[in-house]
Amino acid sequence: MSSPIQPSVVFAKPRARAAPPPPPGSVLFDDTSSAAAPPVNNQGYYTPAYNMEGAANDMQGGPGMNNLFADPMANAAMMYGSSLANQGKDMVNKEISRFMSVNKLKYFFAVDTRYVMKKLLILLFPYTHQDWEVRYHRDTPLTPRQDVNAPDLYIPTMAFITYILLAGMALGIQKRFSPEVLGLCASTALVWIIIEVLVMLLSLYLLTVHSDLSTFDLIAYSGYKYVGMIVTVLSGLLFGSDGYFVALAWSSCALMFFIVRSLKMKILPSISSDSMGMGSSAKPQFRLYITVATAVFQPIIIYWLTSHLVR
């Protein structure tokens, strides 16, 4: 006999009641388990959230920066520091302008190829040049490219560099080259021109000779001797001692003639005004002595700086 079928009884589970909300202040930590997860990019990495607004505020200056600029002591310190920096800059520019004017220095390098060629011909063959007067425009001398009689610093600078290179070549030919000897040659040539300019300035000051000669003018006229020195050394290397002495005599005479005619327009133009009781208090013969002494001193320096390069 089959057993009777027992009816199945289904028990319903009781529903859980929601817990009452905790009183305020009793929760120590927030439940972040239900917070939204950071977004995931295409490569499967989480992209960190970034507060752009907060970063912009930090870059523009947060509360710390506002407090710094709002502090009157900090503002006063910053203003005082900037004023000291400006004063120091002005003092440096003023001291540089006292000894070297950039605009005046640009004037002595305002040359072109035509001027350089004409000036070199005048330095080597000054006897054919007739007009030695320096031209002016509204009490300002014309630039060298506009007036061939104006002094420049381009030719002396390039001639000095060429002389040093030529001296190194001459020492190398004689197997006497060394960096120390070449440095001594360069420093000796530079010291001689400095001594010459200082002696000229001191002579003009002691004899109270008032002229429009500036320090750059004296450096230019003293530096023209390097052109003759180059010709002298080249002649000695090519033609021996005989060619050296012939070139030395020609370069010396040409340079003396050039210096006398050039400085005559700078130092000796006011002799007539001295006879009328005007102008400089120095006697005219003193100015003539300075001009002639400067011209005579050039061959001595040329021989002193070139004789040891030719054997």
Side-chain angles (χ1 to χ4, degrees):
M1 294 179 64
S2 62
S3 60
I5 298 174
Q6 299 293 332
S8 60
V9 180
V10 179
F11 297 96
K13 294 183 178 180
R15 293 184 180 180
R17 296 182 180 179
S26 61
V27 180
L28 297 180
F29 301 97
D30 293 335
D31 185 10
T32 59
S33 59
S34 61
V40 180
N41 56 15
N42 296 331
Q43 298 179 356
Y45 297 102
Y46 288 103
T47 303
Y50 188 79
N51 189 359
M52 299 299 294
E53 182 178 0
N57 292 334
D58 293 338
M59 294 178 61
Q60 294 177 0
M65 295 296 294
N66 293 332
N67 293 335
L68 177 62
F69 287 104
D71 189 0
M73 295 298 295
N75 291 333
M78 293 179 62
M79 293 178 62
Y80 183 69
S82 61
S83 63
L84 284 180
N86 293 330
Q87 290 179 4
K89 181 180 178 181
D90 294 339
M91 290 179 61
V92 170
N93 293 333
K94 183 178 180 181
E95 292 298 325
I96 293 177
S97 301
R98 284 180 56 189
F99 299 98
M100 182 185 302
S101 177
V102 177
N103 294 330
K104 186 177 293 185
L105 192 61
K106 289 180 180 179
Y107 164 83
F108 287 94
F109 284 92
V111 300
D112 54 7
T113 305
R114 182 169 173 268
Y115 167 82
V116 172
M117 296 301 297
K118 284 188 174 182
K119 196 73 170 187
L120 291 177
L121 289 176
I122 293 175
L123 289 171
L124 297 177
F125 306 97
Y127 313 105
T128 59
H129 191 61
Q130 301 296 328
D131 186 13
W132 294 87
E133 185 177 0
V134 178
R135 295 177 175 83
Y136 288 80
H137 176 68
R138 295 180 181 178
D139 297 334
T140 303
L142 297 178
T143 58
R145 69 165 61 97
Q146 297 171 337
D147 183 14
V148 72
N149 294 323
D152 72 286
L153 290 175
Y154 176 81
I155 293 178
T157 303
M158 294 296 104
F160 176 79
I161 297 174
T162 305
Y163 163 73
I164 300 302
L165 297 177
L166 189 61
M169 186 181 69
L171 294 173
I173 292 175
Q174 302 171 10
K175 297 182 180 180
R176 295 188 297 123
F177 177 81
S178 66
E180 293 78 10
V181 175
L182 186 62
L184 180 62
C185 181
S187 59
T188 303
L190 187 61
V191 167
W192 268 112
I193 194 172
I194 293 175
I195 293 175
E196 183 180 355
V197 172
L198 291 179
V199 169
M200 280 286 296
L201 290 174
L202 184 62
S203 301
L204 294 174
Y205 175 75
L206 294 178
L207 298 178
T208 63
V209 176
H210 301 285
S211 65
D212 56 351
L213 279 173
S214 65
T215 305
F216 291 135
D217 291 331
L218 296 178
I219 295 176
Y221 288 121
S222 301
Y224 286 137
K225 70 170 64 67
Y226 294 117
V227 177
M229 292 165 58
I230 294 172
V231 175
T232 302
V233 174
L234 281 176
S235 300
L237 294 177
L238 294 176
F239 305 106
S241 60
D242 294 336
Y244 169 78
F245 285 107
V246 171
L248 177 64
W250 178 270
S251 300
S252 301
C253 293
L255 184 60
M256 287 192 297
F257 187 85
F258 173 82
I259 292 295
V260 170
R261 294 302 302 267
S262 298
L263 294 183
K264 180 182 178 181
M265 308 305 299
K266 296 284 187 177
I267 299 180
L268 304 176
S270 58
I271 292 181
S272 58
S273 63
D274 285 338
S275 62
M276 300 173 59
M278 301 172 57
S280 175
S281 59
K283 294 182 179 180
Q285 58 266 28
F286 287 163
R287 304 179 190 179
L288 183 61
Y289 294 159
I290 294 175
T291 305
V292 174
T294 304
V296 173
F297 195 57
Q298 305 302 315
I300 300 175
I301 302 178
I302 293 177
Y303 177 77
W304 180 265
L305 295 177
T306 58
S307 60
H308 67 283
L309 299 176
V310 178
R311 289 185 177 179

